[in-house]
Amino acid sequence: MFKKYAFGSLAAALLLTGQAHAASYGENLEGFDYPWPLQHFDFTSQKQSLRMGYMDVKSQNANGKTVVLMHGKNFCAATWEGTIRALTEKGYRVVAPDQIGFCTSTKPQQYQYTFQQLADNTHQLLEKLGVERAIVMGHSTGGMLATRYALMFPQQTEKLVMVNPIGLEDWKAKGVPWRSVDEWYERELKTTAAGIKAYEQKTYYMGRWKPEYDKWVDMLAGMNTGPGKEIVAWNSALIYDMIATQPVVYEFPQLKVPTTLFIGTGDTTAPGSDTAPEAVKKAVGNYKELGKTTAKAIPNATLIEFDGMGHAPQMEEPEKFHQMLIDDLAK
């Protein structure tokens, strides 16, 4: 088993003051330890040889069910650590991949990023692992991907679970300005540990902060400012373009699988809205309303709200969140 990640006091102090990030990681997050052994799926896509990093964590008390975890834009498979522990303790097998362009997976120089392509990549991985049917759970951008997966592979999707997914609205239709890939790239090159922490503290944790969040800031900052920072930033830019231009909101009524939405009502996430006019900024990212609207749009959906929580309730209040998740999956 991989060793637990240890975040040194000096590194933590540097992050807290915004002076520096704690470490420098490779473009595929080399040097950062995952909580379970990292495995690799090699495959060909768009005339390229690619590699997906993933964790396949089996329970000692297997209940025969598999949960596939889809991470968000500023997250990795490793950030599901608490959720993986909670699920495996209850008998679930958990498969947690890093999507192409993220974290431990290949970052191509050119790739036609679509949610359909990422869903198909994940489906190929599950076929290789012999997983015929799974509970598909996505957080943030992973919620958009999980929706697309459930639309494409309804027979293989036992249940769809979304945790503060983005894509519950069409930002460009609401007035968020278009941004070119080149502009996204220049923005991503400016990523710093201090900037990551400030954004996460405000949006993910409602202004609060816990020491255990520091390692996730370190993880992102170490990769975004490391020796492969240009290719990391370029893939990030391509992915932001996918997020901004490929809405799933119009297809929620077409979902044919049982669906549960877990929503932190204080969330205000709306990618690209930092350049929007003030009136548009106020009109987007209202999860208190978006959760309810989405639950009505999805046939027979269940809505579970966490009042006053932000973008990542599974990390903000893990015990409460995981108990409600386990209860929902048991129904």
Side-chain angles (χ1 to χ4, degrees):
M1 181 176 288
F2 278 31
K3 65 183 180 180
K4 284 281 195 71
Y5 183 83
F7 194 89
S9 58
L10 174 59
L14 288 171
L15 270 176
L16 290 171
T17 59
Q19 293 176 13
H21 59 79
S24 177
Y25 301 121
E27 69 179 67
N28 295 331
L29 207 50
E30 293 91 347
F32 185 88
D33 291 330
Y34 269 39
W36 287 273
L38 184 68
Q39 301 183 60
H40 296 97
F41 172 47
D42 295 306
F43 66 108
T44 300
S45 175
Q46 300 181 22
K47 296 185 177 181
Q48 300 179 74
S49 295
L50 302 177
R51 168 170 280 194
M52 286 178 72
Y54 69 95
M55 293 179 289
D56 183 2
V57 188
K58 298 180 175 68
S59 175
Q60 294 182 345
N61 306 296
N63 63 11
K65 294 180 180 291
T66 299
V67 180
V68 179
L69 299 177
M70 297 181 172
H71 60 77
K73 172 66 180 68
N74 296 319
F75 299 81
C76 296
T79 52
W80 283 114
E81 181 176 356
T83 302
I84 294 172
R85 292 191 189 283
L87 289 170
T88 53
E89 285 175 4
K90 294 298 180 180
Y92 295 92
R93 176 185 180 182
V94 179
V95 178
D98 282 327
Q99 296 298 325
I100 294 301
F102 294 85
C103 310
T104 64
S105 294
T106 303
K107 294 165 187 66
Q109 188 62 46
Q110 297 293 337
Y111 200 62
Q112 181 66 42
Y113 276 105
T114 63
F115 285 110
Q116 286 91 338
Q117 180 70 73
L118 297 185
D120 188 67
N121 295 348
T122 305
H123 191 250
Q124 289 185 55
L125 168 65
L126 295 179
E127 284 188 324
K128 178 213 171 190
L129 297 177
V131 177
E132 296 179 358
R133 203 156 183 261
I135 298 161
V136 179
M137 180 171 172
H139 169 237
S140 191
T141 300
M144 293 183 80
L145 176 56
T147 298
R148 182 58 60 198
Y149 187 96
L151 288 165
M152 292 173 66
F153 306 107
Q155 299 302 316
Q156 287 79 42
T157 305
E158 181 177 340
K159 183 181 177 75
L160 172 62
V161 179
M162 291 188 278
V163 184
N164 279 77
I166 63 169
L168 303 184
E169 57 190 331
D170 184 346
W171 308 288
K172 67 181 187 304
K174 288 188 172 183
V176 172
W178 176 77
R179 185 178 288 175
S180 72
V181 170
D182 293 315
E183 289 171 322
W184 280 116
Y185 176 60
E186 291 302 322
R187 174 184 182 267
E188 291 302 283
L189 282 175
K190 299 173 183 176
T191 299
T192 65
I196 292 169
K197 179 178 176 180
Y199 175 77
E200 292 190 356
Q201 186 168 8
K202 177 183 177 182
T203 307
Y204 297 175
Y205 309 116
M206 304 300 292
R208 299 178 285 268
W209 195 259
K210 296 178 183 178
E212 53 262 40
Y213 302 154
D214 285 326
K215 67 179 177 180
W216 307 126
V217 175
D218 175 71
M219 174 189 71
L220 289 179
M223 182 175 63
N224 280 278
T225 61
K229 63 182 181 181
E230 287 85 4
I231 193 65
V232 170
W234 179 245
N235 275 264
S236 183
L238 295 174
I239 290 163
Y240 269 123
D241 183 70
M242 172 184 71
I243 291 169
T245 61
Q246 298 178 28
V248 296
V249 60
Y250 305 111
E251 295 169 78
F252 285 142
Q254 298 177 28
L255 284 167
K256 295 179 172 62
V257 301
T259 302
T260 298
L261 287 158
F262 289 91
I263 301 292
T265 61
D267 192 4
T268 58
T269 303
S273 62
D274 54 306
T275 60
E278 205 57 39
V280 174
K281 286 182 183 178
K282 292 178 180 178
V284 297
N286 182 2
Y287 274 75
K288 192 168 185 177
E289 297 304 321
L290 287 171
K292 295 178 176 65
T293 303
T294 305
K296 290 178 182 177
I298 298 173
N300 302 312
T302 298
L303 174 63
I304 298 175
E305 295 180 312
F306 297 89
D307 290 333
M309 290 193 202
H311 190 58
Q314 77 277 22
M315 300 167 79
E316 193 174 356
E317 292 289 347
E319 289 187 11
K320 179 179 180 180
F321 175 87
H322 291 129
Q323 186 57 58
M324 297 185 81
L325 171 64
I326 296 300
D327 290 347
D328 179 72
L329 294 182
K331 291 179 182 177

